[in-house]
Amino acid sequence: MPGAPILFYDIKLQMRHGFYTAYGLICGIYILCLYFMPASMRETANVLLTFSDPSALGFFFIGGLVLLERGQGVYDSLFVTPYRLEQYLISKTLSLTLLSVLSAVLIHVAVFGFTAGAAVLAAGTILTSVFFTLLGLGVSVKSRSVNGFFFLSSFYSLPFMLPLLSYGGWIGAERWLFGWLPTWGSLVLLQSAFQPASAGMLIQACLVLVFWSVLAFWWARRQFARYVLSAIGEGKQ
C-alpha cells in the first residue's frame, strides 16, 4: 500500500505518546458506565458515546498533533522530500480512524457481545472518524495556538452538531431536514447497530458521509497548500 511506512510510523508515534494507553483507560471507564446504566438507556448511551469518540478523537487529537508538528518545524523538512501531502493527510486520518474503530468495537462487544450490528457500528465509526479527522486537519493548520484552534473548531463544527439537538426518534421523521449532514449519516449507521434502518436510509447515510469526507479531504489539502506549503516555498526564496 502506498504510504504504508508513514502510516506505521504514525501509529507507532501515537503509541509512544500514550494515545492507545489513554484510550484503553477511557474504554474501561465507558464500559463500566454502560454496565451500571439501566438497560433501557444503554443502547442510546452507546450510540452517543461511539459518535462522540471518533468525532472528538479525530477532530481534537489531530489539532494537537498538527500544532505539535508545526511547532517542532516538522513540515519544513517533511514536505521538501518526495513525501506527498496526500500521503500525509491519508496517513494521519487512517491512523486515528484505526484507534477510533478499535475502541468503539471493544466497548460494543464488551457490553452487548458479538452481534450482527457490530459491523454496522464499525462502518459508522470509520466514516465518522474519517470526516471529522479531515475537518480537524483543515481547521488546525489555520491555527497558531491551542486557544485559536478551539475557537475555530467551535465555529466549524457547530453546524454539523444540529442533528444531535433532536436525537431520539428524529431519524425518520426529520430525514428531509438533516439528511444532508454527515452527522445524520453517522447517527443512522450507529443506531442501526441496535435498530436496523431501511436499505435506502443506510445507503443515503453512507453516501452523505463519503461525499462530505471527499469534500473535507479536498478542503484540508487546500488549507495545507495555503498555510504550510506556500510558507515553505517563501522561506526557500
Side-chain angles (χ1 to χ4, degrees):
M1 181 179 69
I6 194 65
L7 174 60
F8 295 144
Y9 170 79
D10 278 332
I11 293 173
K12 184 177 180 181
L13 184 66
Q14 290 163 14
M15 289 181 174
R16 187 184 307 160
H17 281 80
F19 281 30
Y20 280 77
T21 302
Y23 250 73
L25 294 173
I26 292 172
C27 285
I29 293 172
Y30 283 170
I31 290 169
L32 288 175
C33 288
L34 289 171
Y35 264 124
F36 285 105
M37 277 185 180
S40 59
M41 297 176 58
R42 284 178 188 166
E43 292 183 1
T44 299
N46 188 53
V47 169
L48 293 176
L49 284 175
T50 305
F51 169 78
S52 65
D53 255 23
S55 58
L57 173 68
F59 197 84
F60 293 108
F61 274 31
I62 197 62
L65 284 173
V66 169
L67 290 171
L68 177 64
E69 290 178 344
R70 201 170 189 176
Q72 293 176 340
V74 172
Y75 298 146
D76 295 338
S77 57
L78 182 63
F79 291 124
V80 295
T81 67
Y83 183 51
R84 295 184 301 159
L85 175 57
E86 292 82 1
Q87 290 176 295
Y88 174 86
L89 296 175
I90 292 172
S91 178
K92 284 288 188 286
T93 301
L94 291 182
S95 61
L96 287 176
T97 296
L98 175 64
L99 182 53
S100 290
V101 73
L102 286 176
S103 63
V105 172
L106 175 61
I107 293 170
H108 181 85
V109 171
V111 178
F112 302 98
F114 289 94
T115 65
V120 182
L121 186 91
T125 303
I126 290 169
L127 291 173
T128 301
S129 181
V130 166
F131 168 71
F132 277 102
T133 301
L134 288 168
L135 183 64
L137 280 164
V139 173
S140 60
V141 79
K142 296 179 62 175
S143 309
R144 293 289 181 178
S145 66
V146 174
N147 289 337
F149 172 70
F150 279 112
F151 174 78
L152 285 176
S153 65
S154 61
F155 176 78
Y156 280 95
S157 63
L158 189 59
F160 297 114
M161 298 298 112
L162 290 175
L164 291 173
L165 296 177
S166 54
Y167 177 69
W170 58 266
I171 287 181
E174 301 189 25
R175 180 179 176 184
W176 61 272
L177 180 61
F178 295 126
W180 58 278
L181 287 171
T183 313
W184 179 88
S186 299
L187 292 173
V188 167
L189 291 173
L190 296 178
Q191 185 166 291
S192 293
F194 304 102
Q195 302 172 20
S198 66
M201 192 173 288
L202 290 174
I203 292 171
Q204 180 182 344
C206 291
L207 289 177
V208 165
L209 278 163
V210 169
F211 169 79
W212 278 98
S213 296
V214 171
L215 192 63
F217 179 83
W218 171 83
W219 182 68
R221 189 188 184 286
R222 185 176 180 182
Q223 294 295 94
F224 266 82
R226 179 180 179 183
Y227 291 99
V228 175
L229 299 187
S230 61
I232 294 174
E234 291 171 2
K236 291 170 64 177
Q237 293 177 358

